[in-house]
Amino acid sequence: MAQDTHSEPLKRKDYEKELRKLQARLCQLQDWVKQEGMRVIVVFEGRDAAGKGGTIRAITERVSPRVFRVVALPAPSSREQSQMYLQRYVPHFPAAGEIVIFDRSWYNRAGVEPVMGFCTPEEHERFLVGCPVFEKYMIESGILLLKIWLEVGKAEQERRFAARIDDPLRQWKLSPMDLKSWTRWYDYSRARDQMLAATDTPHAPWHILRSDNKKKARLNCIRFLLEKIPHEQVKRPKVKLPRRSKQGEYDDDASLRGKNFIPERY
């Protein structure tokens, strides 16, 4: 049996070194996706404080937002509530040469909505039946779909919620909805289990990412994406900076004198 090293600490220096290597490979991946016109969707789901935001930032901080596009939709408007449920997600799907990352997705209807009473049991059941069909159509149209569930333990989630209460830089992460959902751990567990039973299909399987250790979760997730999205290294031409033209040369610093500059306090 393989040794479980998930709980072992990872030094920041080691984490940053490995992260940089993986992010360099993501840059290579983006070149290939652009060249080949690939269309990729990555869905991130999980409980509150599971680490979705930090994982997505680690993936996207060194790549182009025109290739890696993050979609985090707000609560639906009254107009969107009157639409077919999946309708508002489709306009955000990728065109050729794009990877779209959904920070929560249509799977709201499999988790937060039934738990918090935002949809009826009939709507929930209809989604679980129809979602695999919808995803099969996506894949048959040429989209590569990857679904990732971040699994955080009860004790670690409690620690993260407590940290948000005490940290002014993270208090904004504690919404009234988060506090309500906090009390319903097992309701969310049952909703997760129903979701996996209905939508963990051969054509669109779920991949569970253990996220109690944030640093390891981010590294494991990036490596997983690099393995699951087929790509090769694109040979880039060597770049050499051309000489600047001195045509029309003038003292362009002098023309800024007397303008309003932001005070340099640091």
Side-chain angles (χ1 to χ4, degrees):
M1 180 182 292
Q3 184 179 4
D4 181 10
T5 60
H6 185 77
S7 60
E8 295 177 5
L10 182 63
K11 293 181 180 178
R12 174 168 290 277
K13 185 177 180 180
D14 294 335
Y15 164 71
E16 291 177 349
K17 181 179 179 181
E18 185 64 19
L19 179 62
R20 183 175 179 84
K21 289 195 299 185
L22 292 173
Q23 288 176 333
R25 292 180 58 192
L26 284 174
C27 292
Q28 296 173 2
L29 169 64
Q30 97 176 335
D31 288 344
W32 183 260
V33 167
K34 286 171 59 179
Q35 175 179 287
E36 299 300 308
M38 294 178 67
R39 292 177 294 149
V40 182
I41 292 178
V42 183
V43 167
F44 280 95
E45 293 290 341
R47 302 177 191 270
D48 294 316
K52 294 181 294 296
T55 302
I56 292 171
R57 281 193 298 275
I59 294 167
T60 59
E61 66 179 346
R62 301 292 183 180
V63 292
S64 170
R66 290 181 291 275
V67 178
F68 282 78
R69 187 158 52 84
V70 179
V71 176
L73 298 183
S77 65
S78 56
R79 181 178 183 277
E80 288 171 330
Q81 288 175 354
S82 70
Q83 295 174 341
M84 183 177 70
Y85 175 70
L86 291 163
Q87 184 174 339
R88 77 180 188 125
Y89 295 97
V90 175
H92 300 279
F93 279 18
E98 292 183 343
I99 298 174
V100 172
I101 297 175
F102 278 95
D103 183 357
R104 293 198 181 275
S105 65
W106 47 94
Y107 279 99
N108 279 336
R109 181 136 294 181
V112 64
E113 289 192 12
V115 171
M116 302 305 294
F118 295 151
C119 71
T120 65
E122 292 75 20
E123 288 172 329
H124 179 215
E125 178 62 26
R126 192 181 312 130
F127 171 82
L128 294 179
V129 171
C131 183
V133 179
F134 171 69
E135 291 177 347
K136 192 169 191 296
Y137 178 77
M138 290 166 54
I139 293 162
E140 289 175 347
S141 75
I143 291 174
L144 174 59
L145 173 63
L146 298 172
K147 303 186 302 189
I148 299 173
W149 174 270
L150 279 77
E151 181 65 18
V152 64
K154 192 189 300 183
E156 178 61 16
Q157 189 197 49
E158 181 173 1
R159 189 193 68 77
R160 292 178 187 178
F161 267 94
R164 291 178 180 184
I165 292 172
D166 298 329
D167 186 347
L169 298 179
R170 288 186 281 181
Q171 286 173 356
W172 63 269
K173 293 184 176 182
L174 272 179
S175 68
M177 186 62 59
D178 293 332
L179 297 176
K180 288 181 181 178
S181 69
W182 161 254
T183 63
R184 303 186 180 184
W185 174 271
Y186 292 108
D187 291 336
Y188 274 99
S189 293
R190 278 187 283 271
R192 176 204 62 196
D193 295 344
Q194 284 182 284
M195 178 194 77
L196 292 176
T199 65
D200 185 16
T201 59
H203 59 271
W206 277 100
H207 305 276
I208 298 175
L209 177 66
R210 298 177 63 86
S211 64
D212 279 7
N213 186 313
K214 288 183 178 181
K215 293 187 181 72
K216 290 188 177 183
R218 293 166 190 170
L219 298 179
N220 287 328
C221 185
I222 295 175
R223 184 175 288 277
F224 168 78
L225 293 178
L226 290 167
E227 291 172 352
K228 284 293 183 179
I229 303 175
H231 65 283
E232 299 175 17
Q233 186 169 354
V234 175
K235 190 172 182 180
R236 285 174 168 255
K238 286 191 175 181
V239 178
K240 183 178 179 181
L241 287 176
R243 295 181 64 180
R244 280 190 175 135
S245 171
K246 291 190 176 182
Q247 185 177 355
E249 183 178 10
Y250 73 104
D251 188 352
D252 56 337
D253 284 330
S255 62
L256 295 176
R257 290 174 193 152
K259 303 300 182 185
N260 294 319
F261 280 80
I262 293 173
E264 296 183 11
R265 304 188 187 280
Y266 302 96

